[in-house]
């Protein structure tokens, strides 16, 4: 049974929780949630603008963008989608464990989430390496002739520019998430989170699900455009 925020008392040192600037634990939780959602909304506005620009050019040069999508490794993208959605599930279990004060389970699910996140980044890095070898990286290693000898549409370079910009921003968010997740694992092992106090786990869960959701939109937008 989850302990209501209004009943938080002895499980946490009262000198540190709630913090001195808050009236009670519930106010601290609400403030943290508001702060996280405010941050996520700014991220949505930024990413939404990039998506909007992408679709403007997609409708302008549809055939070239379809050709670009056909160059992407959709199988690796599919595997990464499964990996990331699984990590979202393990993160849900970590939040559940934190709210119930199950420390060992919390550490276990956080570590699994970390491993899955690392797997995603490794697969994405592999994909980038393949695309580099196939001369698909604008400004770094791009040619108008594909590795099969086919002439690429001029606007396909624009598609690849969008692809690398959008996926690289997502990968950066993943790396930041992994760094924070690593710190949370250390704190969880020290017993810093209890059923009474688990705000950082809750807030990070929101961030992680947001990053996963962005990929859920990126995958069909970029990889499935061929259809």
């Amino acid at each position: 049974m989850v302990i209501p925020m209004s009943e938080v008392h002895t499980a946490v040192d009262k000198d540190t929780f709630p913090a001195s600037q808050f009236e009670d634990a519930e106010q601290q939780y609400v403030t943290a949630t508001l702060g996280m959602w405010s941050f996520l909304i700014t991220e949505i506005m930024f990413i939404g603008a990039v998506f909007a620009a992408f679709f403007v050019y997609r409708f302008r040069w549809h055939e070239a963008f379809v050709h670009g999508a056909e160059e992407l490794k959709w199988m690796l993208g599919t595997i990464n989608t499964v990996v990331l959605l699984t990590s979202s599930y393990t993160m849900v279990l970590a939040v559940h464990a934190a709210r119930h004060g199950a420390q060992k389970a919390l550490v276990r699910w956080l570590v699994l989430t970390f491993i899955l996140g690392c797997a995603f980044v490794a697969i994405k890095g592999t994909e980038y390496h393949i695309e580099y070898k196939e001369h698909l990286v604008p400004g770094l290693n791009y040619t108008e002739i594909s590795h099969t000898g086919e002439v690429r549409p001029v606007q396909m370079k624009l598609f690849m520019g969008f692809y690398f910009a959008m996926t690289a921003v997502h990968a950066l968010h993943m790396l930041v998430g992994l760094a924070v997740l690593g710190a949370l694992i250390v704190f969880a092992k020290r017993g810093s989170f209890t059923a009474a106090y688990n705000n950082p786990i809750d807030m990070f869960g929101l961030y992680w699900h947001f990053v996963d959701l962005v990929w859920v939109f990126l995958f069909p937008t970029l990889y499935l455009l061929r259809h």
Side-chain angles (χ1 to χ4, degrees):
M1 178 178 179
V2 179
I3 298 177
M5 295 304 297
S6 59
E7 296 180 9
V8 173
H9 295 296
T10 59
V12 179
D13 185 350
K14 293 182 179 179
D15 291 334
T16 59
F17 181 76
S20 58
Q21 66 267 36
F22 301 105
E23 294 181 359
D24 52 35
E26 184 173 2
Q27 186 186 59
Q28 180 168 339
Y29 178 80
V30 170
T31 302
T33 304
L34 178 62
M36 177 54 73
W37 274 112
S38 298
F39 166 72
L40 294 181
I41 288 172
T42 63
E43 292 289 285
I44 290 171
M45 293 172 64
F46 165 71
I47 295 174
V50 177
F51 269 93
F54 174 86
F55 279 106
V56 167
Y57 287 109
R58 169 185 172 178
F59 289 120
R60 176 66 178 83
W61 291 298
H62 178 73
E63 293 301 323
F65 273 46
V66 168
H67 193 88
E70 290 173 346
E71 294 280 359
L72 301 183
K73 307 302 177 284
W74 68 269
M75 183 59 71
L76 291 178
T78 301
I79 294 172
N80 253 353
T81 301
V82 174
V83 169
L84 211 52
L85 290 177
T86 304
S87 77
S88 238
Y89 176 66
T90 57
M91 191 63 224
V92 167
L93 294 176
V95 171
H96 179 79
R99 289 179 176 178
H100 287 76
Q103 184 177 339
K104 290 184 179 180
L106 170 61
V107 173
R108 179 172 66 249
W109 293 123
L110 288 177
V111 169
L112 281 174
T113 303
F114 184 86
I115 292 172
L116 289 168
C118 289
F120 178 92
V121 173
I123 293 171
K124 195 66 207 166
T126 300
E127 192 175 355
Y128 280 167
H129 178 68
I130 294 172
E131 287 154 355
Y132 177 83
K133 291 178 62 178
E134 294 182 354
H135 309 288
L136 286 168
V137 187
L140 186 62
N141 186 19
Y142 186 89
T143 62
E144 301 297 334
I145 307 298
S146 71
H147 62 285
T148 61
E150 182 182 1
V151 178
R152 292 167 173 160
V154 176
Q155 294 81 14
M156 180 181 151
K157 187 175 184 179
L158 178 62
F159 170 84
M160 295 307 302
F162 269 109
Y163 162 77
F164 280 106
M166 296 166 82
T167 56
V169 168
H170 179 266
L172 177 61
H173 281 74
M174 285 290 298
L175 291 173
V176 171
L178 288 172
V180 175
L181 187 54
L184 290 177
I185 291 172
V186 172
F187 285 118
K189 287 184 176 180
R190 294 176 179 175
S192 300
F193 308 117
T194 67
Y197 175 69
N198 48 72
N199 289 2
I201 303 297
D202 254 1
M203 298 308 107
F204 180 77
L206 289 175
Y207 175 85
W208 194 258
H209 296 320
F210 165 76
V211 174
D212 291 358
L213 184 62
V214 170
W215 179 258
V216 168
F217 282 97
L218 279 176
F219 177 65
T221 298
L222 297 171
Y223 292 82
L224 303 186
L225 175 61
R226 67 186 71 199
H227 300 304

